[in-house]
Amino acid sequence: MKILVINCGSSSLKYQLINMEDESVIAKGLCERIGIEGSKLTHEPAGKDKVVIENAMPTHKTAIQMVMDALQNPEYGVIASTDEISAIGHRVLHGGKVYSDSIVVDEDVKRVIRECFDLGPLHNPANLMGIEACEAAMPGKPNVAVWDTGFGMAMPEKAYMYAIPHEYYEKYSIRRYGFHGTSHKFVSGEAIKFGGLDPKNAKVIVCHLGNGASVSASIGGKCVDTSMGLTPLEGLIMGTRSGDVDPAVVQFIANKEGKDVNEVLNILNKKSGVLGMSGGISSDFRDIENAKKEGNHLAEVALDAFIYRVAKYIGAYTAAMNGVDAIAFTAGVGENDKASRKAICEYLGYLGVKIDDEANDVRGKMRVISAADSKVKVMLIPTNEELAIARETKALI
Ligand code: ADP
């Protein structure tokens, strides 16, 4: 069985064709600059050379068509016809209050994705376009929606309600949802298996530290709390997002700089985080680390603050669960940066966390990185959102 996984952004589309017999990737690729001049498709068939196809992609529909053509190309394709594809799994950002479990797309699912456009203004419209483009390109094939908010929907009311007038929850569904759900679910599940933990009761904290970053707490794989909120802006310091700030900061900047709320929110989303804190050096953590090594004070403060906030969330989530059995690091920084992992864990001595430096000297591999006498198991668990989406899709069809 072959499953196509589609992840549509506002101007991009990532895909993977996965062979579910052995969960291997048959081909993967990326369409960039959809709807913008200079669009291109980079297609990587397993075992063959990568190809770059430059072609106008005015819409996601054209992008999907180009992906289909690439997959079936006699030279660099990997399938003879789309008949070989059993189903398509889509990453969908927001299911609102209605959907949390993955589901085969029907008219009602599309209606909910549409109704959540204002909760996910950049992603939900693109996700729907991706689904409709697949329906047009492969009529009759099941499309499955896997919600980025799905994992966080299990949070109890005390964790997801904001302390604002209740009418806004009733009228506009304003609550904490959490994002990166596919990753948190996958990584917490793998951590339980790999760490040999009790699948029903294990208390696990997952630190998904990439350009976007979030922490989750779960018991037996069920989310107890997670750091992103109504939108992905809440929580940790990220590449360009501020994470938690006093909301009065928005009003203050707006008044001082003559900006409206939307403009200030744009600054908090796109010009803040380590990019903003470092005085504009970069949103890429490697650049920030290099600048710190060269003695740049702002870069040092940005990194220290990033690490400090992750450690604070781990402390808070340990309290929320009244304990923690395992802490798992994942995503770009979590999988590749041993110094950040070590620095975060140094705050956790009071929990009995001890890192084994030799074990921690690793990138992108599943491994226990804590010492044998550490009271909490610390692990590196590479995330694989595409595989998680493919597994969910397979389970449903
Ligand atoms: P996203 O999917 O949110 O775009 P990723 O999970 O791909 O993000 O993570 C990207 C981030 O990971 C970048 O900021 C990059 O600098 C960081 N990263 C990758 N490798 C390293 C490394 N060796 N040291 C520190 N940061 C790294």
Side-chain angles (χ1 to χ4, degrees):
M1 180 194 283
K2 295 181 183 114
I3 288 179
L4 180 63
V5 176
I6 300 283
N7 182 356
C8 278
S10 51
S11 66
S12 69
L13 185 159
K14 286 189 221 156
Y15 63 93
Q16 277 193 12
L17 184 65
I18 300 179
N19 181 352
M20 297 312 288
E21 313 312 325
D22 59 359
E23 298 191 330
S24 63
V25 178
I26 305 166
K28 63 180 180 178
L30 168 68
C31 301
E32 290 168 279
R33 301 180 66 86
I34 300 170
I36 311 171
E37 222 171 288
S39 40
K40 64 173 182 188
L41 162 66
T42 308
H43 174 71
E44 295 180 53
K48 293 186 200 168
D49 287 342
K50 171 161 99 175
V51 279
V52 178
I53 306 152
E54 286 178 31
N55 207 346
M57 281 184 239
T59 63
H60 287 75
K61 195 169 175 183
T62 351
I64 287 283
Q65 204 47 61
M66 277 180 67
V67 172
M68 293 303 142
D69 291 346
L71 290 172
Q72 297 171 83
N73 185 282
E75 197 185 319
Y76 47 78
V78 289
I79 50 174
S81 95
T82 54
D83 289 346
E84 290 180 42
I85 299 174
S86 301
I88 307 105
H90 297 262
R91 180 180 184 187
V92 182
L93 183 82
H94 224 300
K97 284 195 288 195
V98 185
Y99 288 118
S100 51
D101 292 340
S102 304
I103 187 166
V104 177
V105 174
D106 61 11
E107 286 310 310
D108 193 63
V109 173
K110 285 197 271 183
R111 174 186 63 80
V112 170
I113 298 175
R114 212 172 284 118
E115 280 175 9
C116 293
F117 277 4
D118 54 356
L119 287 169
L122 292 180
H123 293 86
N124 267 39
N127 300 151
L128 185 61
M129 280 190 273
I131 289 171
E132 289 179 336
C134 286
E135 286 174 337
M138 290 170 281
K141 294 253 187 237
N143 286 276
V144 169
V146 180
W147 313 95
D148 218 40
T149 47
F151 188 67
M153 289 302 285
M155 275 188 275
E157 268 178 304
K158 64 183 175 189
Y160 74 67
M161 291 303 278
Y162 284 115
I164 59 174
H166 187 70
E167 63 184 282
Y168 299 128
Y169 174 73
E170 296 293 341
K171 280 203 274 192
Y172 309 122
S173 305
I174 295 179
R175 54 161 277 176
R176 304 185 61 255
Y177 288 93
F179 297 85
H180 291 143
T182 314
S183 176
H184 285 290
K185 184 176 174 185
F186 178 81
V187 173
S188 55
E190 295 292 301
I192 288 173
K193 276 191 262 167
F194 186 66
L197 306 173
D198 175 357
K200 286 217 171 69
N201 301 303
K203 296 172 177 173
V204 179
I205 294 176
V206 173
C207 305
H208 176 111
L209 310 178
N211 230 317
S214 61
V215 190
S216 71
S218 60
I219 301 181
K222 193 165 168 247
C223 182
V224 166
D225 209 336
T226 185
S227 60
M228 284 176 166
L230 174 73
T231 76
L233 184 55
E234 193 178 334
L236 299 180
I237 295 171
M238 312 182 206
T240 65
R241 296 189 195 117
S242 62
D244 301 331
V245 289
D246 179 346
V249 167
V250 175
Q251 181 197 36
F252 209 89
I253 296 175
N255 289 343
K256 293 282 183 194
E257 299 269 318
K259 295 187 188 303
D260 66 23
V261 172
N262 294 318
E263 288 171 306
V264 180
L265 261 288
N266 199 40
I267 292 169
L268 295 186
N269 267 305
K270 299 197 175 137
K271 297 190 173 155
S272 300
V274 293
L275 169 70
M277 284 188 83
S278 65
I281 293 173
S282 175
S283 62
D284 192 300
F285 282 83
R286 282 166 293 200
D287 298 335
I288 301 291
E289 277 178 11
N290 289 336
K292 177 187 163 178
K293 278 185 203 135
E294 284 160 15
N296 186 297
H297 177 64
L298 293 184
E300 183 178 353
V301 175
L303 265 185
D304 285 352
F306 166 75
I307 284 159
Y308 176 64
R309 193 167 304 172
V310 177
K312 283 209 296 185
Y313 264 95
I314 294 173
Y317 286 175
T318 304
M321 296 191 289
N322 195 8
V324 57
D325 297 311
I327 299 169
F329 288 98
T330 195
V333 179
E335 290 173 32
N336 293 299
D337 186 12
K338 62 178 177 187
S340 289
R341 291 192 298 260
K342 167 111 175 154
I344 291 164
C345 289
E346 271 171 1
Y347 279 98
L348 308 174
Y350 71 102
L351 290 175
V353 169
K354 272 193 215 159
I355 289 295
D356 177 329
D357 288 332
E358 220 170 280
N360 187 36
D361 191 7
V362 60
R363 292 177 63 166
K365 273 203 207 101
M366 208 181 291
R367 183 183 276 187
V368 174
I369 58 169
S370 48
D373 61 343
S374 177
K375 289 209 179 97
V376 179
K377 233 175 212 164
V378 184
M379 290 178 250
L380 192 169
I381 308 277
T383 192
N384 191 339
E385 286 165 290
E386 288 77 15
L387 178 59
I389 291 170
R391 284 181 186 168
E392 297 263 328
T393 303
K394 183 183 170 191
L396 277 171
I397 55 159

